[in-house]
């Protein structure tokens, strides 16, 4: 069993810069865990501490129940795929794959068998006798993947493995890695993964669970749907979702019919479900959060409609991202193209927000107070 | 109709004008190229002249060497080579070449190994006192060689190593040439450490990383180091002069001087002939390794 357990992990770099501030994370056996966050939030640092490439300043890491803090990278039962592939430039693909096994003193026949097996899975058989510089980016990344796979490690570590590839290749490699993970799991092999990326699409499509980080701290760990539907704080709300969630300063008012949010000259009444979720101690000064997708066009006699002035419109084919102003605050809304064209003649439209999907955040602490 | 004809002729005029302009440009370009090559050839010849003269003179007889400034011998003779090779000592010049080889080979091997290991340590590991140690390494670069000659001589004489090759070999086994260490450190800094990290994840120990990953990537730079060390040792006169006293251990550089000392009326053509032979190994090795050599210094220099 290869669960990975990180307890109160800290990292202070040589210069005195503290990059990781007490991270706690449990990755279950066979789980695909994605670490996501903006550049510089210490994703790589955390991953490299798991790998043993970076010393640990505090806390501990255990793999399969065994503390590995003081083990060399090669003794931790991990394999790693690097962003720039890090293939050994002077070795043919075949030797790149087998280098680790050879160091471990594996028998020649066994090495050959495993090289063949991995080459078949990754469709790199024709490349076995090439040097890394004779490979395209996608091929090189597959070889790098093979080098990890062939070791049959307990935990796979990926550090932005796809960010050097073009968009199309990235999409197909995403599928390939996810497929591979599923296959390993089905075969009952160790397949725990920690995957680092700054790309939320990668995170959302690949992760069983996602760990969102900011400045060396964990903001939320959850499965993709929860992360999207119930972000625990402003940072996660703004980071996950495309286009970004609309975040507007508002005032939380308690009326006889429930809560309402006032911003500018507009009032947004919360739906019954969301009303019930608002914490009892929610402050007045809040930030309202509403995803661009959670708007629709309002009917002509809708009393809850919001008046929106249309600004710049990004045409995306099947839908538009419209940048609108409601009550003096800027919003982005995503609407189907035809409906939008009809409605927006005259420079303004009437919108209806999905009142049960409005999030309310404590403006001071950033915490979501509509999750109860 | 007439309008289009007018347009056409105007266009034709423009075409002709453009063609004339192109031809003029082409002539100017060719002229400037001829001029450039003429200057470069002249300067190149000037630089090479002493070498050409040396080779030419080694085939002249002694009388002609001083009587004509040209480098093509009127009456070519091999006597300089034949007599020079015999030398005025009991040993032939072959012996001195062999001695030079005995000094160079271990020195080059030791230098490559020790400098690679030390540079790897400085470039890739954190250890207490690293900054001070590296600073003192660089400081020894700035120190003139002669300053350390006397203490070094006393040290080696104390150890009883005089008149042996040990004083010439041993410093190179401990990365005594700071310049090479510095050059390799610069080169290593231009190589991302990811491959080495991948190797560590693959289970390689530090020495295995050095041997299997770093050394192959460092090959061009290591060849440069070997080449520099080869040429410097080949040309080194002072080192052997200080530490060696028996003629049977003399390398080529000392043997050349020896033949000047012993012949009362200098047989210049012998000396010149042996000088030509002494140049040959460096030239041959240099041209053989030229490709790697240039790759090595430029990679180390530009990116570092
Ligand atoms: N070797 C180092 N020395 C000092 N600071 C570093 C070092 N490596 C990374 N950092 C700092 O640590 C922080 C986290 O870096 P990193 O883990 O690479 O972020 P990410 O991978 O999330 O982009 C950054 O602020 C970075 O500048
Ligand atoms: Mg990173």
């Amino acid at each position: 069993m290869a669960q990975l357990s990180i307890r109160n992990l800290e990292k202070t770099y040589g210069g005195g810069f503290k990059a990781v501030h007490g991270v706690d994370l449990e990755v279950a056996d066979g789980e695909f865990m994605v670490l996501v966050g903006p550049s510089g939030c210490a994703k790589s640092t955390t991953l490299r501490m798991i790998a043993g490439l970076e010393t640990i300043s505090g806390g501990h890491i255990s793999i399969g129940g065994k503390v590995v803090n003081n083990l060399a990278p090669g003794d931790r039962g991990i394999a790693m795929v690097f962003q720039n592939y890090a293939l050994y430039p002077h070795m043919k693909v075949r030797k790149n794959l087998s280098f680790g096994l050879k160091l471990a003193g594996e028998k020649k026949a066994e090495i050959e068998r495993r090289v063949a097996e991995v080459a078949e899975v990754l469709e790199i058989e024709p490349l076995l006798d090439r040097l890394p510089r004779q490979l395209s980016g996608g091929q090189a990344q597959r070889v790098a993947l093979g080098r990890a796979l062939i070791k049959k490690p307990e935990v796979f570590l990926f550090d932005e493995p796809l960010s050097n590839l073009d968009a199309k290749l990235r999409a197909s490699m995403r599928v390939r890695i996810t497929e591979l993970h599923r296959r390993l799991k089905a075969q009952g092999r160790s397949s725990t993964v920690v995957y680092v990326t700054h790309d939320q699409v990668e995170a959302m499509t690949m992760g069983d669970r996602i760990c969102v980080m900011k400045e060396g701290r964990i903001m939320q760990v959850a499965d993709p749907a929860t992360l999207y539907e119930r972000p625990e704080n402003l940072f996660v709300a703004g980071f996950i979702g495309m286009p970004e969630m609309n975040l507007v300063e508002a005032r939380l008012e308690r009326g006889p019919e429930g809560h309402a949010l006032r911003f500018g000259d507009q009032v947004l009444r919360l739906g019954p479900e969301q009303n019930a979720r608002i914490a009892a101690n929610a402050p007045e000064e809040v930030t309202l959060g509403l995803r661009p997708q959670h708007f629709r066009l309002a009917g002509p006699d809708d009393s809850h409609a919001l008046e929106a002035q249309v600004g710049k419109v990004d045409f995306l084919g099947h839908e538009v991202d419209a940048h609108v102003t409601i009550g003096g605050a800027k919003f982005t809304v995503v609407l189907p193209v035809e409906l939008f064209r009809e409605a927006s003649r005259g420079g303004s439209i009437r919108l209806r927000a999905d009142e049960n999907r409005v999030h309310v955040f404590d403006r001071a602490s950033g915490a979501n107070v509509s999750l109860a | 109709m007439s309008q289009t004809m007018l347009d056409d002729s105007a266009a034709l005029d423009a075409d002709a004008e453009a063609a004339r302009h192109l031809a003029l440009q082409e002539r100017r370009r060719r002229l400037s190229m001829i001029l450039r090559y003429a200057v470069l050839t002249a300067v190149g010849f000037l630089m090479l002249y002493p070498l050409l003269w040396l080779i030419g003179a080694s085939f002249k007889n002694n009388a002609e060497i001083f009587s004509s400034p040209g480098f093509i011998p009127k009456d070519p003779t091999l006597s300089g080579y034949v007599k020079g090779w015999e030398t005025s000592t009991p040993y032939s010049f072959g012996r001195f070449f062999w001695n030079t080889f005995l000094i160079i080979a271990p020195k080059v091997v030791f230098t490559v190994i020790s400098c690679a290991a030390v540079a790897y340590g400085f470039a890739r590991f954190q250890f207490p006192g690293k900054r001070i140690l590296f600073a003192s390494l660089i400081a020894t670069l700035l120190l003139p060689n002669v300053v350390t000659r006397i203490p070094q001589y006393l040290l080696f004489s104390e150890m009883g190593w005089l008149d042996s090759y040990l004083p010439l070999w041993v410093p190179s086994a401990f990365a005594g040439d700071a310049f090479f260490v510095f050059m390799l450190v610069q080169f290593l800094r231009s190589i991302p450490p990811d491959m080495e990290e991948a190797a560590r994840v693959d289970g390689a120990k530090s020495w295995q990383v050095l041997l299997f990953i770093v050394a192959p990537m460092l090959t061009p730079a290591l060849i440069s180091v070997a080449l520099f060390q080869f040429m410097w040792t080949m040309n080194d006169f002072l080192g052997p002069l200080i530490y060696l006293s028996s003629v049977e251990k003399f390398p080529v550089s000392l043997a050349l001087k020896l033949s000047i000392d012993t012949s009362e009326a200098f047989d210049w053509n012998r000396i010149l002939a042996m000088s030509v032979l002494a140049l040959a190994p460096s030239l041959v090795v240099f041209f053989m390794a030229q490709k790697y050599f240039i790759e090595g210094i430029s990679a180390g220099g530009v990116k570092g």
Side-chain angles (χ1 to χ4, degrees), chain A residues 297 315 317-320 335-345:
Chain A
L297 291 173
F315 174 75
H318 59 299
E319 58 185 28
V320 294
L335 291 169
V337 172
E338 270 75 38
L339 289 180
F340 178 78
R341 281 226 182 96
E342 273 305 300
S344 65
R345 289 200 185 112

Side-chain angles (χ1 to χ4, degrees), chain A residues 38-45 48 83 159-160 196-198:
Chain A
S39 179
C41 72
K43 307 178 294 289
S44 296
T45 304
R48 289 166 56 80
Q83 174 173 355
D159 192 355
E160 312 220 5
V196 163
T197 179
H198 65 265

Side-chain angles (χ1 to χ4, degrees), chain A residues 19-34:
Chain A
V20 178
H21 304 260
V23 160
D24 287 291
L25 187 66
E26 293 288 333
V27 186
D29 181 44
E31 187 174 28
F32 199 117
M33 172 66 79
V34 177

Side-chain angles (χ1 to χ4, degrees), chain B residues 50-64:
Chain B
L51 190 65
L52 294 175
W53 184 86
L54 173 72
I55 294 170
S58 69
F59 292 101
K60 295 175 181 173
N61 57 39
N62 271 321
E64 192 191 340

Side-chain angles (χ1 to χ4, degrees), chain A residues 16 61 85 87 146 184 200 207 213 260 270 277 302-303 313:
Chain A
I61 297 174
Y85 324 131
L87 298 178
L184 287 182
Q200 53 149 317
M213 293 182 68
L270 294 184
R277 290 199 194 106
D302 190 334
S303 61
V313 175

Side-chain angles (χ1 to χ4, degrees), chain B residues 147-166:
Chain B
V147 175
T148 56
R149 284 288 180 195
I150 291 173
Q152 242 174 16
Y153 181 86
L154 294 177
L155 175 74
F156 290 133
S157 110
E158 206 58 33
M159 295 166 101
W161 286 359
L162 294 188
D163 201 24
S164 81
Y165 293 151
L166 284 173

